[in-house]
Amino acid sequence: ICFLQVIWDIIGNKQFCSFKVKTKSQNFCRNEYSITGVCNRSSCPLANSQYATIREEKGQCFLYMKEIERAAFPARMWEKVRKLSKNYEKALEQIDENLIYWPRFLRHKCKQRFTKITQYLIRMRKLVLKRQRKLVPLSRKVESREKRKEEKALIAAQLDNAIEKELLERLKQGTYGDIYNFPVYAFDKALEQQDAESESDAEEEEEEDDEDVGQREFVAEDEVEESDLSDFEDMNKLKTSSDEEEQDESSEEEEEEEVQASRSKGKSPANGSLVRKKRAYVEIEYEQETESASRRRTT
Amino acid sequence: HEQRGESDDQSWRTPMKDLKMEEESSGVEKLEPGTTFPPTFSVSEIKNKQRRHQMFMKLKQEKRKQKMQLKKKRRKEREALGDKAPPKEVPKTIENQRVFDETTVDPEDEEIAFDEGTDEFSAYFNGLTNPKVLITTSDRPRGRVVKFCEQLATVIPNAHVYYRRGLALKRIIPQCIARDFTYLIVINQDRQTPNGLVLCHLPDGPTAHFKVSSVRLQKELKRRGKAPTEHSPEVILNNFSTRLGHTIGRLFAALFPQNPQFVGRQVATFHNQRDFIFFRFHRYIFKNEKKVGIQELGPRFTLKLRSLQKGTFDSKYGEFEWVLKRHEMDACRRKFQL
């Protein structure tokens, strides 16, 4: 009996072949010398004494041939022929030349395989020229660290206040020209008057600290500067959405109040906004008398 | 404030030490504050966890008490002095403690003024060119990126959105220059959200590569106003203090037309804080001389500069003016680049 037939009997269907990969529909051959990847009687390199393959290394194709005469010498079994020509047609001719008088099946399959290989080599070369997507790995630690820093920077930035300040400064400097006409002189006068009164008011306000401290909610944990006071006041205004025209505040005033009345940071904003709220209902001349009236109203 | 003695030198006296410990532990609560202990003692050397914990708590209480006493004393002094009290100490913030950067721009520096007069933005700042912006994405934009691009286009006047469709940037750039674009913005995406921004000033301008984070689209903003109108907004650039910061600031400023239309009352803000640039878009209204109300329209996002390149976009052969090197630059918490 032909020993190759025996080999195929064993590894083909009945027993184990280490190169065989079984899937639902088909069996594949993982042998590197296999010409088609399918596990067939005619394309099994182990079960055929005369066999040829095309293999590709680093862009160059080689023709490997196996002959019966060398079956006893495994080290010399596969004969390697170098495909000298990069030219597709010449290479096909070379295959034909080498595999002359070989069975048609092998010749055909070799040429097919060679064609496929050249095609994918061409595609690889083209892809390299196109834009390649570079994957940049993210380090989790770094990302979370940056995220935390960003949050803290956001809190420290106090964006709304910064923007408002900037806009007010631009208004002061007159970059807006004549679009907005606010009565500047009356405002300045009122400013000076209030400056004079703020010192006398400061002592009265201190008594109210304890009542109102608990009622305020503070947005930022860090130091509450006078810009935050304007923030609170703005929120009040936005919520109530009432236009109170005689809202004469100045930043200097608030500073003075703070310095005089401040014992601890937590109390001063309550102080400041309290004062302002009182001022809302009060006209300038009658400041001292109606203080008590507005106090009753707010508390 | 050491209350129990157990120094290193006596470790060879192990059996004796145990006895000592027990004696002292029984009387731990009744110890007088006057007992002294070898100064090399520290709470962490006690091996027993419960006792160590107790000692630590005691230590903390002592410290707290002393702190309160100190505070009270200071308050009393302050009250006593009244007007003559020393001014309140300003707490240390990172901004206060910032390491002095030698490239900080002095407003009157002539060299810088000269540089800025002749750099790539001078054409814009002299009013010669009008900004025209091309916004595009990386391949196959998905989801939020598309919306982000559209919203950016509404915020920046004279901006056009084009889809990439696999074109190479290096080939787009000459086409853009031919059509008089001054800016190219490429938004990179990662899992359907934008995470990178390449801002390229076109006729040979610098290219800046940013990392984009916390993107909020217009829909996601609370208390939002109506859509931004076509008026050119004003620009606010905050805290760009160093040379590098200045360059980046000018980069942003040149995105918008030179003459803002105050009728529109819109303002775009780029606020730099600790090397993060926060972008906000608001509509403002002056209620009176001293109050302004702002309402947020438009998307918001934060940028962090990753690299600045001299010429137009060329990642391989470009001349990088500045690259974020994490080990050098992020090592110190108080050192910032912008």
Side-chain angles (χ1 to χ4, degrees), chain A residues 50-271:
Chain A
Q50 199 182 43
Y51 203 75
T53 327
I54 307 273
R55 275 177 70 188
E56 177 263 326
E57 258 142 58
K58 291 185 197 162
Q60 272 202 321
C61 302
F62 303 99
L63 171 66
Y64 285 84
M65 296 189 290
K66 167 179 156 179
E67 272 150 30
I68 313 174
E69 288 89 34
R70 297 200 298 269
F73 312 106
R76 284 180 254 155
M77 201 151 59
W78 291 94
E79 177 189 335
K80 180 166 159 177
V81 171
R82 204 154 43 114
K83 201 76 72 261
L84 286 169
S85 66
K86 291 257 175 94
N87 192 348
Y88 180 64
E89 280 109 37
K90 270 201 190 162
L92 286 181
E93 282 172 16
Q94 278 180 321
I95 296 178
D96 261 337
E97 190 188 309
N98 275 307
L99 296 182
I100 197 169
Y101 306 134
W102 280 54
R104 244 177 327 170
F105 174 76
L106 280 174
R107 255 185 287 149
H108 186 233
K109 286 293 177 190
C110 273
K111 286 189 242 172
Q112 267 193 341
R113 196 180 163 94
F114 177 70
T115 314
K116 260 293 182 285
I117 291 179
T118 45
Q119 281 174 355
Y120 81 61
L121 285 176
I122 293 172
R123 209 193 311 156
M124 271 167 64
R125 274 178 247 137
K126 267 200 208 154
L127 275 182
V128 170
L129 292 177
K130 274 197 186 171
R131 301 156 50 233
Q132 285 173 330
R133 186 163 303 183
K134 188 170 153 200
L135 293 175
V136 177
L138 296 175
S139 160
R140 218 179 304 168
K141 248 199 224 175
V142 172
E143 291 302 306
S144 71
R145 229 187 272 151
E146 296 222 326
K147 204 165 144 231
R148 212 177 303 134
K149 278 194 189 167
E150 187 191 320
E151 286 166 6
K152 299 207 170 182
L154 183 63
I155 295 174
Q158 295 177 355
L159 282 169
D160 289 340
N161 294 327
I163 298 177
E164 286 169 11
K165 246 199 225 174
E166 178 71 29
L167 287 170
L168 287 171
E169 266 198 44
R170 289 190 183 178
L171 181 66
K172 252 200 209 171
Q173 288 176 352
T175 45
Y176 298 131
D178 284 330
I179 312 178
Y180 306 102
N181 33 9
F182 296 117
V184 188
Y185 285 114
F187 170 63
D188 282 340
K189 264 198 201 165
L191 244 188
E192 290 164 45
Q193 286 196 351
Q194 290 204 322
D195 274 338
E197 283 146 12
S198 63
E199 288 152 22
S200 54
D201 288 338
E203 294 127 359
E204 298 169 16
E205 291 137 33
E206 281 169 43
E207 297 153 11
E208 307 234 344
D209 272 354
D210 303 316
E211 296 175 46
D212 286 287
V213 158
Q215 294 175 11
R216 300 287 161 178
E217 232 188 294
F218 302 116
V219 173
E221 297 148 15
D222 311 353
E223 70 276 14
V224 181
E225 301 165 278
E226 52 115 352
S227 51
D228 266 339
L229 295 171
S230 69
D231 197 15
F232 285 120
E233 171 232 291
D234 266 347
M235 300 225 336
N236 284 336
K237 296 299 160 284
L238 283 170
K239 280 179 192 162
T240 57
S241 70
S242 57
D243 289 320
E244 289 143 336
E245 285 107 13
E246 261 77 276
Q247 286 290 325
D248 297 322
E249 295 97 4
S250 70
S251 40
E252 298 123 27
E253 259 184 281
E254 291 160 11
E255 274 174 351
E256 281 176 39
E257 287 164 14
E258 271 182 64
V259 167
Q260 289 157 8
S262 63
R263 281 303 124 94
S264 65
K265 286 180 205 155
K267 296 193 177 169
S268 51
N271 217 356

